[in-house]
Amino acid sequence: WLERTGLDRSLEPGEARLLQSPPGSLGDADTRDASWRAEGVYVLAWALGAHPPLAHDRLADPNDRAGPLRFLDDAALDAPAAPSLRAEHEVDGFLARQLAVHWRLREYSLRPGPMDFAAVVATGGWARLDIDAAALLDRDLAIDGDTIDRAEPDAILRCTSIASERHRAASWLAGADPVYSRVENIT
């Protein structure tokens, strides 16, 4: 399918190696890293208008992304036109939200405790930041229905991994680097 669609020419060497690996042969690190790429696939699906926005504390389900992106669908080859990306200002806004969430999670790992995150986003002079009101509780980042300082440590780790991959994908979409794996994920 990748060859028929021509997508095989867009694979990075690591992606090609991963896809050519026999089932069950990947090590734990490769399996874990590949599974987090589902968050990047979600961002691509969103950018192509094939998926609504997901909450920052909800994992993307790769099986839910494959269908709307027509992955492994031979009929996709017969589509009259390729889907187009959302407008640049939408991608930029999405990137600003991903950066804000990723920054808050990294900041919390360095300096745990509550913060007026809404104020930081509103005045964030070091970068363009944005946040959805639904992502806040008591003016701080919410995780699983509670503020970050009351969230379970495992939930914070999960959200940090989600945010990292979504931030990378949004930066890639915005043109940070044409090669996904080379996109720096700085907060």
Side-chain angles (χ1 to χ4, degrees):
W1 184 83
L2 288 171
E3 290 171 3
R4 288 193 313 275
T5 59
L7 290 173
D8 61 324
R9 294 185 301 273
S10 298
L11 293 174
E12 295 180 31
E15 292 170 327
R17 181 185 53 77
L18 200 73
L19 290 171
Q20 294 167 357
S21 298
S25 67
L26 293 178
D28 289 344
D30 284 337
T31 301
R32 184 179 50 252
D33 290 347
S35 70
W36 282 115
R37 291 297 195 250
E39 299 302 325
V41 172
Y42 149 69
V43 171
L44 180 59
W46 171 86
L48 292 170
H51 202 280
L54 283 175
H56 67 278
D57 57 353
R58 296 294 168 249
L59 284 166
D61 181 342
N63 296 319
D64 289 345
R65 304 307 150 252
L69 290 174
R70 303 188 74 180
F71 183 67
L72 300 180
D73 181 356
D74 284 333
L77 298 172
D78 300 327
S84 59
L85 288 176
R86 291 178 184 263
E88 186 176 340
H89 74 276
E90 290 180 272
V91 172
D92 289 344
F94 187 85
L95 173 57
R97 286 185 293 283
Q98 302 315 306
L99 172 59
V101 169
H102 191 199
W103 177 84
R104 178 60 182 118
L105 287 156
R106 292 288 298 142
E107 181 67 17
Y108 186 82
S109 74
L110 298 171
R111 287 174 270 295
M115 151 190 299
D116 187 347
F117 181 48
V120 171
V121 168
T123 60
W126 55 272
R128 178 172 178 256
L129 301 175
D130 192 15
I131 195 71
D132 293 320
L136 299 174
L137 181 64
D138 297 335
R139 300 186 56 84
D140 205 350
L141 187 66
I143 294 178
D144 295 343
D146 218 338
T147 55
I148 189 172
D149 62 305
R150 293 191 295 252
E152 293 293 323
D154 285 349
I156 293 170
L157 289 173
R158 179 191 79 237
C159 289
T160 301
S161 293
I162 292 169
S164 177
E165 196 63 35
R166 289 182 187 175
H167 179 201
R168 177 186 314 281
S171 295
W172 175 76
L173 278 173
D177 195 299
V179 179
Y180 188 90
S181 65
R182 289 194 318 226
V183 173
E184 291 189 19
N185 214 10
I186 300 168
T187 53

